Amino acid sequence: VLFSQIKGSGAHMGIVTATTGRSDERELYFPDHERAMAHYSYLSPDRRSVLIVEMDRTQDFQPCRVMPFDGSSVGTQVGPTGACTAAAWSPDGNWMYFSVAVDGASHIWRQRFPNGQPEQITFGATEEVGVASGARRPVDRDVGRPAAQRDVDP
């Protein structure tokens, strides 16, 4: 099981893993600052990597983070520079999807794992918040329906 947990008596929230009975609990990631929070985590289909949505000490959402599930490093920020509020993996683990506010507008982005460049996949006057990953192969048109559309090969 992968979940968020408060550490100590403050608001320092991080990502923890354990068995379903909460045995073998292991801290996976806690942001550096004691008031920063890692809110959401998403395990990759191969169970080797974790996408994390986090806030800094001022409670502003940061770019998403990807890190190894074994905790061997804190990983790196992924997606565009902006406020990442949700993330998901494609079922095959080849793509990471993000809901990110950039310059005040929230849209859906994707990035090939592990070293691709972020690509905006929804555009227009509407805003999209949240992403979902299903059992079938995702296609960009399944992720969001913006006012202005373009075809993108997955």
Side-chain angles (χ1 to χ4, degrees):
V1 178
L2 196 59
F3 55 96
S4 298
Q5 178 172 286
I6 299 287
K7 184 184 211 179
S9 60
H12 196 200
M13 183 184 293
I15 306 302
V16 176
T17 185
T19 62
T20 55
R22 297 283 299 253
S23 63
D24 299 323
E25 189 172 302
R26 174 176 59 94
E27 290 183 0
L28 187 62
Y29 173 75
F30 276 81
D32 287 336
H33 196 278
E34 65 187 13
R35 289 193 321 242
M37 299 178 228
H39 279 278
Y40 311 114
S41 55
Y42 309 90
L43 189 59
S44 64
D46 67 4
R47 304 179 59 84
R48 292 184 183 173
S49 300
V50 180
L51 282 171
I52 297 173
V53 175
E54 63 183 307
M55 293 176 129
D56 68 7
R57 64 180 176 78
T58 63
Q59 298 182 355
D60 288 327
F61 279 102
Q62 298 300 299
C64 278
R65 172 176 303 279
V66 66
M67 66 174 291
F69 181 59
D70 67 9
S72 59
S73 81
V74 296
T76 186
Q77 290 183 330
V78 290
T81 301
C84 181
T85 58
W89 292 94
S90 63
D92 63 7
N94 290 329
W95 291 95
M96 301 173 286
Y97 288 86
F98 314 99
S99 177
V100 182
V102 176
D103 297 328
S106 181
H107 291 289
I108 307 299
W109 296 70
R110 72 177 186 172
Q111 182 173 340
R112 186 173 286 281
F113 179 77
N115 297 313
Q117 295 298 311
E119 303 171 9
Q120 186 175 344
I121 61 173
T122 62
F123 297 85
T126 61
E127 292 191 14
E128 300 76 35
V129 177
V131 293
S133 179
R136 64 186 182 87
R137 184 172 172 256
V139 179
D140 290 327
R141 68 180 167 270
D142 296 332
V143 178
R145 291 300 235 171
Q149 299 178 359
R150 70 179 180 129
D151 290 331
V152 179
D153 293 328

